[in-house]
Amino acid sequence: LGGVPFVGPSGFGAFFSHCPKSGKVVIVYGPHVGVSQAGVVGKIERVGVPEMSGACGAALGAYRAIKAEKEKNERVIPTASAAFPYSDPDAGDVQEDYIIRELRNRLEQDDLGGPNTNALIALVTNRMYELVTELLEREVGAASNKPGFWDKISDVTLIGGIVVNKGNPTGLGSVEDYFKPINFVSWKAGGIRENLYDALYSDEGRPGNFESAVKAYFPGAVPNSMLSGNVVDTLKKKGYNADNTLLGSSLCSDEVNDVGTSLFAQLQNGLTKGNSGGVFNLGGLGGVPFVGPSGFGAFFSHCPKSGKVVIVYGPHVGVSQAGVVGKIERVGVPEMSGACGAALGAYRAIKAEKEKNERVIPTASAAFPYSDPDAGDVQEDYIIRELRNRLEQDDLGGPNTNALIALVTNRMYELVTELLEREVGAASNKPGFWDKISDVTLIGGIVVNKGNPTGLGSVEDYFKPINFVSWKAGGIRENLYDALYSDEGRPGNFESAVKAYFPGAVPNSMLSGNVVDTLKKKGYNADNTLLGSSLCSDEVNDVGTSLFAQLQNGLTKGNSGGVFNLG
């Protein structure tokens, strides 16, 4: 419980005995804490559980017991004995009692009656980190001081911090927890301690830079999973279900948009998984709906009778781990890659035109989006023409490239929206349209792609919602935007709480790549590495996107790949 390494000397002895000769050991350790979508520290939404749930339950239970002791001036649990962690289980609730005893000493001087419960739970979690670290380092120190230890093992690397669990109330998509790194150090023979912490913050992968760039240039953008639940709940209350709903998307053709954690994939899972669950692709390059009147006509004809339609649309833009707008790290590609390539290509062409005062692409004709493909690079030429008009008055020579690419992306949103609404409007004005279809809901915004250079774990993109409106017969437009920002799921509250109470915590995927790269440079590989963890028993810590699972995938997937549970 609590991440405390209760396996004792025998457990640590067994663990180290499993290390390959002259091998290397990695131990990920620390307590965990939940943060709900609404930013409540110590609470998370668990799949299928209607009420909010505590995390870490062991730490919260100990906190409540100690707080009650202070209020009554009476001890609930007696003073600890030195041997307690490994004493007779029949003596009581061994692990929880130990946590209460150890936390009591660390919270003795703290005021547990303050009004800010979030701050109090954060304090308790940090005290839990101290507790876990002290016992773990004591055990590793005792084992490593035994004769012959360093004859078999060359390095023991400890990665300590706080796991911040992120709730997933709907079970849609994959939700990635955060980790606040506090310790990253390699122990070697002779008492040598090599501090590797700075490697977590290399220029190319500094934790927080992606988030900082998103907040600066795409304010309001949040992870897809923070929106999908509210969208699905809102639409289900309005009668959308697997039997009556047709999904479409007008997003860029780039493969980074076609992943299981995308917003439209999460909506697909939540709304239409009971039927064929397919998504009609209306978009081409840049997310522009190039399928034209015929494509929209075919799409709408697929709607169930008296059915409902949902269209997710908008441009996309990459933001690298280092916070470079317009760039992402793609799996297996050594260089940074542009996204959106179509928008960036158009921006460069238009900028070159301005500098040379010469047009590269001629003026558009009204029918251009659907004209003869033999006339040229149809989709890209159309984007250049349309963007040119929107960027006419903008200064494209400024020094802040991030801001320029963000500007271009917002202009792309205007372009996509204008053509999409024109097509939906034209189709919905045809006789008989509303006899078959009751609602058409448009969800528009900007997809912010997050790079995944190592391919470890699952990386979740962000989405900046701009439009969430339902069209009905008679020109009725119902604005649903406020439903995205309900009290129980306001986008940004999880992130705000994490930044306020666990500064430095970042998504696991932003750390795992740097950790794996650092350790591989130091000779760690699948043939010589043994992994252990001292984390809480709670099942929320045993998921495929956890930090230790990503390290397992990156370091030891060539061997059995197991992780010894010390906690």
Side-chain angles (χ1 to χ4, degrees), residues 108-132:
E108 199 71 49
Q109 305 304 315
D110 296 312
D111 178 11
L112 302 185
N116 188 340
T117 306
N118 278 2
L120 288 172
I121 304 305
L123 169 68
V124 170
T125 306
N126 279 281
R127 296 286 186 262
M128 281 294 296
Y129 173 79
E130 296 168 7
L131 188 166
V132 174

Side-chain angles (χ1 to χ4, degrees), residues 195-274:
N195 193 335
L196 305 175
Y197 191 82
D198 285 347
L200 300 176
Y201 293 84
S202 65
D203 290 339
E204 287 304 310
R206 184 178 300 277
N209 278 13
F210 170 86
E211 280 77 9
S212 300
V214 170
K215 288 186 183 301
Y217 300 107
F218 303 99
V222 294
N224 293 329
S225 58
M226 293 193 72
L227 288 175
S228 61
N230 282 351
V231 171
V232 168
D233 288 347
T234 299
L235 295 180
K236 280 187 173 179
K237 288 174 184 174
K238 294 185 174 298
Y240 286 67
N241 59 51
D243 296 324
N244 68 6
T245 301
L246 173 68
L247 284 180
S249 72
S250 190
L251 301 168
C252 185
S253 311
D254 193 318
E255 76 280 354
V256 295
N257 299 313
D258 187 26
V259 294
T261 56
S262 69
L263 180 61
F264 80 80
Q266 293 186 32
L267 299 183
Q268 181 180 6
N269 188 39
L271 288 172
T272 64
K273 64 181 176 182

Side-chain angles (χ1 to χ4, degrees), residues 458-480:
S458 175
V459 172
E460 186 177 27
D461 291 338
Y462 281 42
F463 189 83
K464 175 180 177 173
I466 300 173
N467 187 39
F468 185 23
V469 65
S470 184
W471 293 28
K472 301 174 187 291
I476 296 171
R477 304 285 186 269
E478 183 183 5
N479 192 335
L480 306 175

